[in-house]
Amino acid sequence: MARRARAYWLFKSEPDVYSIDDLARDRRTMWDGVRNYQARNLMRDSMAVGDLGFFYHSNASPPGVAGIVRVCSAPYADPSQFDPASDYHDPTSRVDEPRWMLVDVEHVETFDAPVTLDTLKARAAELEGLMVIARGSRLSVQPVERAHFVKIAKWAGARTKV
DNA sequence: GCCAACGTTGGC
DNA sequence: GCCAACGTTGGC
């Protein structure tokens, strides 16, 4: 039976809002609040349980890859879209036809030191096509090529087998 | 369907 | 706090 190869991702979060330390404490979390169609489509259509992702700290000092997470659920409707008290409330989304989907992710590893955006840019020649170093790339959930994921994990001294 | 205006992201 | 880049909205 053909098995889908593991895919690799990058999840952005502002550490002031939710950091990898928060995820390490919680063990797993809903990746909620994504309100971009491209990012939603990746979670809804392209992720599978067991995929690995980088946890990327945006709007941080310094910004960079802080560790590794694993996708640990199938996609399902983001409950925050139906919660009037949530910042992510979307009054135009219908329960019987939810607009925003998410997956759960679990903490795998926090790097001893982040691989900073500066480092990624400095080694751009080895990371051709990596979205997070592309000009103006704002997508909050991004695909990462396996070769790039392996390299960055190695630079971080990751203990996780990727 | 075009595109200007607007809001958001995110590095700096 | 600034602002470039980008996505979305809405008038036409």
Side-chain angles (χ1 to χ4, degrees):
Chain A
M1 187 170 81
R3 210 172 354 171
R4 172 185 172 282
R6 171 188 272 168
Y8 298 86
W9 309 98
L10 180 147
F11 295 87
K12 285 185 191 172
S13 182
E14 302 187 25
D16 289 348
V17 177
Y18 194 81
S19 72
I20 195 165
D21 292 338
D22 293 323
L23 182 61
R25 177 200 62 211
D26 296 343
R27 282 229 337 110
R28 64 186 279 167
T29 193
M30 295 185 288
W31 202 260
D32 62 0
V34 171
R35 295 295 179 268
N36 169 281
Y37 290 106
Q38 210 178 334
R40 176 206 66 183
N41 293 348
L42 291 173
M43 291 198 286
R44 186 189 62 187
D45 305 331
S46 303
M47 289 191 186
V49 172
D51 283 357
L52 295 182
F54 285 136
F55 194 113
Y56 180 87
H57 281 165
S58 62
N59 266 316
S61 355
V65 177
I68 295 177
V69 302
R70 184 184 294 113
V71 174
C72 62
S73 82
Y76 62 100
D78 180 343
S80 67
Q81 70 196 301
F82 304 122
D83 176 4
S86 170
D87 288 344
Y88 305 126
H89 182 226
D90 183 350
T92 67
S93 182
R94 292 164 35 191
V95 177
D96 58 341
E97 201 177 339
R99 173 169 303 160
W100 304 111
M101 306 292 281
L102 55 69
V103 296
D104 290 353
V105 302
E106 62 186 353
H107 182 264
V108 175
E109 172 174 1
T110 300
F111 296 151
D112 294 337
V115 180
T116 65
L117 181 60
D118 272 354
T119 298
L120 297 177
K121 286 178 172 171
R123 309 187 72 158
E126 299 169 75
L127 300 170
E128 195 181 341
L130 183 69
M131 207 177 277
V132 77
I133 57 175
R135 183 168 70 70
S137 170
R138 300 189 333 190
L139 198 60
S140 64
V141 176
Q142 306 180 354
V144 176
E145 291 175 28
R146 173 177 154 76
H148 293 164
F149 199 95
V150 168
K151 278 184 204 173
I152 295 165
K154 187 177 174 190
W155 299 340
R159 297 171 291 278
T160 306
K161 180 172 159 34
V162 300

